[in-house]
Amino acid sequence: MQEQISALKEDITARIDAASDLAALEDIRVAALGKKGSVSELMKGLGRMSPEERKEMGPALNSLKNDVADAITARKDVLEEAALDARLKSEKVDITLPVLDHAAGSVHPISQVMDEIAEIFASLGFDVAEGPDIESDFHNFTALNIPPEHPARQDHDTFYLKPDANGDRKVLRTHTSPVQIRTMLSKEPPIRIIAPGRTYRSDSDATHTPMFHQVEGLVIDRDTHLGHLKGTLEAFLKAFFEVDAVTLRLRPSYFPFTEPSMEVDVQCSFEGGTVKIGDGNDWLEILGSGMVNPKVLEACNLDPNVYQGFAFGCGIDRLAMLKYGMNDLRAFFDADLRWLKHYGFRALDLPTIAGGLSR
Ligand code: PHE
């Protein structure tokens, strides 16, 4: 009997050592220690033995069982480590290699332009503020000096949501100006923010889409004046269009939330079929702006005798089209991979003032 045990142990151990993978090892385990395994069968024989025999064979069979189990565990550790090694080797990634161009996504021109704008204004000391796309009537209109029945409401082709129990209708914000209100209600001056984001109007042609993008600017302090507005816009547009100088024309205009209000044109040339910003014989309307209306300051609990400032609002899509030469706005939102590949930006090239915004 003892001999049978040693022979069995030798046989099983040899097979364990030869097992080349975890599946083979599992087969060996079942064949030895499973319900009908060779070791288990031997152990079943214990019940038929005389007490003396059992006293001798019990411990022998037990240690056989334990030795086999230990050998399997040891082999399993070795095989698992080898499997992990092989996997690590096959899944190795060299993070110092350049990103594969065909595998990389691209940054949409709108995101690129927003990043460029944030970078420029950050260098001028502006924070980036945000507000919700679904806006209350108060923030989008009333607090901006556009009370109900004000004709300016008609200019906005507003998307209204279903009225709530009180009859109040939320709107998809028609401009980024409600972020002015949110900022003044939540922060003490001095305030210096830009607010880029999505805006919505029911309008659609080659230069209008129902969803578009604006960037708002707001500066409030004790003695902020029109000169600051002009200087800020000049610094911004010069940096954005990456030219040495820009000439601006401030045209009197009307917005309920600014007084006085002006539309800003930038000098440009359309010679040779492309726009060149900086000089030339033409003017391109680029944004709306003005000094924040005292009524708006009051709606935000700021004393107009103490505080004053300027605001501007600018279409981002328009800026992107001008800078990067697309002529149909609708293509921005078609998700056409060929367009995205052509006009998109490399994800790892972050725009910085020092490194060049668009290079
Ligand atoms: N909100 C205005 C628009 O959408 C732009 C604007 C913003 C004008 C701030 C003046 C001041 O047309």
Side-chain angles (χ1 to χ4, degrees):
M1 185 74 184
Q2 287 284 15
E3 269 159 41
Q4 200 186 341
I5 292 178
S6 338
L8 186 57
K9 184 172 162 183
E10 220 164 273
D11 174 51
I12 296 175
T13 324
R15 278 197 280 144
I16 290 173
D17 288 343
S20 59
D21 57 35
L22 289 165
L25 186 63
E26 176 62 8
D27 289 346
I28 296 166
R29 189 192 67 77
V30 172
L33 304 179
K35 252 194 195 146
K36 292 198 171 129
S38 49
V39 174
S40 310
E41 291 294 343
L42 274 185
M43 303 217 33
K44 277 180 206 162
L46 278 174
R48 294 187 297 270
M49 290 177 190
S50 65
E52 289 78 45
E53 261 182 321
R54 198 178 305 140
K55 209 170 174 188
E56 193 190 331
M57 295 314 295
L61 282 172
N62 254 328
S63 73
L64 167 67
K65 188 178 138 192
N66 290 337
D67 289 349
V68 167
D70 287 349
I72 288 175
T73 307
R75 183 70 188 152
K76 199 171 170 193
D77 285 348
V78 171
L79 288 175
E80 273 175 352
E81 198 163 305
L84 181 63
D85 272 351
R87 184 158 163 218
L88 285 176
K89 229 175 239 158
S90 74
E91 292 179 2
K92 187 172 74 176
V93 175
D94 182 349
I95 58 165
T96 66
L97 287 174
V99 173
L100 289 178
D101 254 348
H102 67 82
S106 63
V107 174
H108 194 284
I110 300 219
S111 304
Q112 166 77 16
V113 166
M114 282 188 179
D115 288 348
E116 292 180 16
I117 293 173
E119 178 67 18
I120 295 166
F121 278 102
S123 79
L124 299 174
F126 284 64
D127 287 336
V128 172
E130 281 183 316
D133 289 15
I134 297 176
E135 193 47 286
S136 73
D137 192 283
F138 172 78
H139 291 94
N140 194 80
F141 291 126
T142 310
L144 287 162
N145 193 32
I146 315 177
E149 313 310 328
H150 192 288
R153 291 206 175 198
Q154 262 100 69
D155 300 342
H156 278 206
D157 304 310
T158 311
F159 288 112
Y160 287 95
L161 274 72
K162 286 208 183 86
D164 63 16
N166 302 323
D168 294 331
R169 292 186 300 179
K170 294 225 179 205
V171 302
L172 293 184
R173 66 177 178 190
T174 57
H175 49 181
T176 41
S177 300
V179 186
Q180 286 186 38
I181 304 300
R182 290 181 175 275
T183 305
M184 286 188 272
L185 283 173
S186 64
K187 281 206 178 76
E188 289 280 313
I191 289 169
R192 232 185 268 139
I193 58 111
I194 57 161
R198 292 193 174 121
T199 46
Y200 307 82
R201 291 183 202 179
S202 180
D203 204 352
S204 189
D205 59 41
T207 52
H208 296 86
T209 47
M211 188 275 291
F212 58 106
H213 299 81
Q214 288 190 338
V215 59
E216 195 80 7
L218 176 70
V219 174
I220 303 285
D221 207 339
R222 287 164 191 269
D223 48 17
T224 302
H225 55 69
L226 257 184
H228 295 131
L229 168 61
K230 191 169 187 223
T232 303
L233 292 177
E234 264 171 15
F236 161 52
L237 292 169
K238 217 168 72 174
F240 179 75
F241 287 109
E242 301 177 58
V243 291
D244 293 333
V246 289
T247 308
L248 299 187
R249 183 170 75 178
L250 274 58
R251 251 182 314 110
S253 182
Y254 172 76
F255 298 104
F257 32 91
T258 46
E259 183 58 37
S261 302
M262 46 248 135
E263 263 160 327
V264 177
D265 302 336
V266 63
Q267 196 160 38
C268 67
S269 105
F270 287 103
E271 258 159 54
T274 53
V275 230
K276 266 219 246 57
I277 306 284
D279 54 0
N281 306 318
D282 277 299
W283 297 96
L284 208 63
E285 185 193 320
I286 207 143
L287 53 86
S289 65
M291 297 304 294
V292 175
N293 192 314
K295 287 190 182 160
V296 175
L297 294 170
E298 273 166 9
C300 299
N301 312 317
L302 292 177
D303 183 351
N305 295 313
V306 178
Y307 294 115
Q308 59 182 36
F310 64 79
F312 60 86
C314 180
I316 289 181
D317 318 78
R318 182 86 190 282
L319 286 184
M321 290 168 83
L322 284 172
K323 182 163 179 180
Y324 294 114
M326 309 85 163
N327 49 26
D328 193 332
L329 180 58
R330 289 167 295 197
F332 276 59
F333 310 114
D334 283 346
D336 179 336
L337 278 178
R338 292 163 302 177
W339 189 93
L340 291 170
K341 208 165 225 160
H342 182 78
Y343 287 111
F345 291 81
R346 293 183 46 129
L348 297 178
D349 290 346
L350 296 180
T352 64
I353 303 269
L357 289 176
S358 62
R359 281 175 278 268

